[in-house]
Amino acid sequence: MTKASEAKAAKSAAIDLSVEDVYRSVMDAIVDQRLLPGTRLNELAMCEAFKLSRREMERVFARLAFESMVRLVPNRGAFVASPDAKEARAIFAARKTIEAGIVELAAARASGADFKVLAKNIAEEEAHRRAGRMREAIKLSGQFHLLLSEIADNAILADQVRQLVARTSLVTSLYENPSEMGCWHDDHNKLIEHLRAHQPKRAADLMRRHLDDLEESLDLDRKISSKTNLRAIFGLDMPDPAPKNRG
């Protein structure tokens, strides 16, 4: 195969993967709180930056909208979702119900290898907190819940938790109250203790209290409005919007 044909094949492979790659890139940016709620996702700029057609970018937006991470507004475009207080409470109510069941399953299945993975997650989260890297710490905190769902070994529940944890990132982006955050994450170590002791009821009760504390630490009356630089977030050479005529 010539270099030219190799390059062409590589380009074709990249195109085949690009829709999934872009979906994952946007999802990660939302979950990592680099894309804040309310941010407009400029379709044309993103198509040019990611080398996607408009139809492909619409598929990305449609998938994110299906997962309630993006809101599609007719004649206006795609925006990162901005859950209101009612939706935020509904997200936490769903998490309490689902994750209490997950830790009950995990308590019956967890092994020594699982505890090592959970302990590593907690150690990394704590290291980020001590260094003041709260965004990274919060991401690892969410991953702890995903790890529990993997230990429970129920793919349906795990998928629900993944979506709910992602939507919780939107909620914390909007309503985080720095003066109240910081203590609830210690519950993860206590959860491990209940799993080691095979105490499903105590683990479920603690999970519900843990999520209660997280919900109560948020300022659900807080309103945030921000403008976001998409080029800086994705590290891409996006075209600048046309300058406004200032007269």
Side-chain angles (χ1 to χ4, degrees):
M1 182 180 288
T2 66
K3 289 185 178 180
S5 58
E6 288 177 354
K8 184 177 181 180
K11 184 177 180 181
S12 297
I15 292 173
D16 291 341
L17 296 173
S18 61
V19 171
E20 176 66 24
D21 290 343
V22 173
Y23 159 79
R24 181 54 53 195
S25 181
V26 178
M27 174 65 88
D28 288 347
I30 295 173
V31 173
D32 294 348
Q33 300 183 0
R34 289 177 284 129
L35 273 176
L36 297 179
T39 301
R40 181 173 180 271
L41 302 175
N42 186 302
E43 181 180 321
L44 179 59
M46 294 180 72
C47 284
E48 293 182 2
F50 287 111
K51 310 303 180 187
L52 290 187
S53 68
R54 293 189 66 178
R55 178 170 294 185
E56 289 171 322
M57 187 58 66
E58 287 170 358
R59 285 169 53 195
V60 173
F61 290 160
R63 182 174 174 184
L64 291 164
F66 178 77
E67 296 181 351
S68 299
M69 301 302 290
V70 162
R71 181 171 55 98
L72 302 179
V73 182
N75 302 318
R76 291 188 60 200
F79 296 79
V80 177
S82 298
D84 59 18
K86 181 179 180 180
E87 183 178 348
R89 293 189 177 97
I91 290 169
F92 277 105
R95 287 192 63 176
K96 291 167 199 173
T97 299
I98 292 172
E99 295 193 57
I102 278 176
V103 293
E104 287 186 338
L105 292 173
R109 296 181 56 87
S111 66
D114 296 321
F115 296 131
K116 289 181 181 178
V117 172
L118 293 172
K120 180 182 178 182
N121 171 275
I122 291 175
E124 290 177 352
E125 177 190 345
E126 185 59 32
H128 282 300
R129 287 184 183 277
R130 288 197 302 268
R133 296 187 293 268
M134 295 305 295
R135 177 180 291 168
E136 292 84 349
I138 290 172
K139 181 178 181 179
L140 284 164
S141 181
Q143 287 178 349
F144 181 88
H145 292 255
L146 300 182
L147 291 171
L148 288 174
S149 69
E150 291 175 5
I151 294 170
D153 196 29
N154 184 308
I156 303 299
L157 291 177
D159 189 55
Q160 292 296 314
V161 172
R162 181 186 67 82
Q163 293 189 31
L164 288 168
V165 168
R167 294 175 71 181
T168 301
S169 291
L170 291 170
V171 173
T172 56
S173 290
L174 279 170
Y175 304 111
E176 181 179 356
N177 185 355
S179 66
E180 297 294 332
M181 303 287 282
C183 296
W184 48 264
H185 70 278
D186 294 333
D187 289 339
H188 288 181
N189 276 312
K190 297 175 185 176
L191 272 169
I192 291 180
E193 292 176 7
H194 292 324
L195 296 182
R196 285 186 183 277
H198 301 291
Q199 298 172 324
K201 186 178 184 305
R202 288 189 177 183
D205 289 343
L206 178 57
M207 176 59 78
R208 282 188 284 264
R209 290 198 304 272
H210 172 67
L211 292 170
D212 276 336
D213 289 344
L214 175 54
E215 180 180 359
E216 291 171 6
S217 74
L218 302 175
D219 180 3
L220 292 179
D221 294 322
R222 183 179 181 186
K223 302 298 179 185
I224 296 178
S225 176
S226 64
K227 295 182 179 179
T228 305
N229 186 333
L230 294 177
R231 289 180 298 169
I233 286 172
F234 294 111
L236 298 169
D237 185 19
M238 289 187 170
D240 287 316
K244 294 180 179 179
N245 187 345
R246 299 180 180 276

